[in-house]
């Protein structure tokens, strides 16, 4: 007799053979989830985002962004609302993931200081505006 275990899908109590992970009902869901997670593994991210990660982790960018934040210490978007919030990121107004942005990656006229919440919000806006997804790389 083969030992049994419960299906690994959250909330499913179906008993299945010990050498399987999911019941028949949840097997297809797990395969789709696996394909999605494989897409976002390290080698995929490196292939797609490699030159951008290399840029943002470079010594030169670290130095330039730190100096820029020292000269512009407050979040631009918060400041426009009358709030004084410390900037934690230097953002490219035209994202470097666009051709024009990549050309202007060292141009300080394309920089702005942002706090993390404003930077995250702006990044989402940029993805919609410039259609920045993995198909554009």
């Amino acid at each position: 007799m083969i030992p049994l275990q419960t299906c690994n899908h959250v909330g499913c109590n179906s008993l299945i053979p010990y050498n399987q992970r999911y019941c028949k009902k949840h097997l297809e869901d797990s395969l789709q989830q696996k394909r999605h997670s494989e897409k976002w593994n390290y080698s995929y991210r490196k292939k797609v985002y490699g030159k951008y990660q290399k840029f943002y982790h470079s010594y030169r960018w670290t130095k330039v962004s730190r100096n820029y934040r020292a000269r512009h210490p407050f979040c631009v978007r918060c400041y426009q609302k009358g709030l004084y919030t410390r900037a934690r990121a230097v953002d490219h107004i035209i994202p470097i993931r666009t051709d024009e942005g990549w050309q202007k990656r060292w141009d300080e006229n394309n920089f702005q200081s942002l706090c993390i919440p404003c930077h995250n919000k702006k990044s989402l806006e940029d993805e919609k505006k410039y259609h920045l997804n993995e198909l554009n790389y």
Side-chain angles (χ1 to χ4, degrees):
M1 185 165 163
I2 299 174
L4 299 176
Q5 69 173 354
T6 57
C7 174
N8 281 350
H9 189 274
V10 177
C12 181
N13 293 324
S14 299
L15 292 175
I16 56 173
Y18 192 74
N19 60 352
Q20 294 178 5
R21 295 190 64 185
Y22 297 97
C23 65
K24 290 179 183 178
K25 181 180 175 184
H26 296 114
L27 184 60
E28 184 60 33
D29 293 343
S30 69
L31 291 174
Q32 287 176 352
Q33 194 172 22
K34 183 178 180 184
R35 279 187 230 117
H36 178 73
S37 66
E38 285 173 353
K39 181 179 174 182
W40 292 105
N41 67 18
Y42 175 76
S43 60
Y44 176 80
R45 287 192 328 265
K46 185 175 179 184
K47 181 178 83 173
V48 173
Y49 301 106
K51 82 176 184 182
Y52 309 112
Q53 285 183 342
K54 191 173 183 178
F55 169 78
Y56 282 120
H57 290 95
S58 71
Y59 175 76
R60 183 179 174 191
W61 173 250
T62 303
K63 191 174 177 182
V64 167
S65 64
R66 187 178 295 138
N67 290 336
Y68 187 84
R69 275 185 289 132
R71 291 190 316 273
H72 304 92
F74 299 112
C75 174
V76 174
R77 288 186 167 195
C78 291
Y79 185 77
Q80 290 170 348
K81 298 174 191 172
L83 301 171
Y84 292 91
T85 307
R86 183 175 177 191
R88 297 286 183 176
V90 175
D91 178 68
H92 289 90
I93 298 167
I94 300 170
I96 67 167
R97 291 190 287 167
T98 63
D99 292 335
E100 182 184 359
W102 184 252
Q103 298 298 321
K104 295 182 174 187
R105 68 188 179 274
W106 296 113
D107 182 5
E108 286 198 12
N109 294 323
N110 192 35
F111 296 172
Q112 64 181 348
S113 293
L114 295 175
C115 63
I116 298 301
C118 288
H119 183 265
N120 292 343
K121 186 175 179 183
K122 193 226 175 229
S123 295
L124 288 174
E125 293 167 0
D126 286 346
E127 285 183 19
K128 291 176 185 173
K129 181 178 179 181
Y130 295 100
H131 306 288
L132 300 175
N133 55 34
E134 70 272 4
L135 299 175
N136 293 357
Y137 296 94

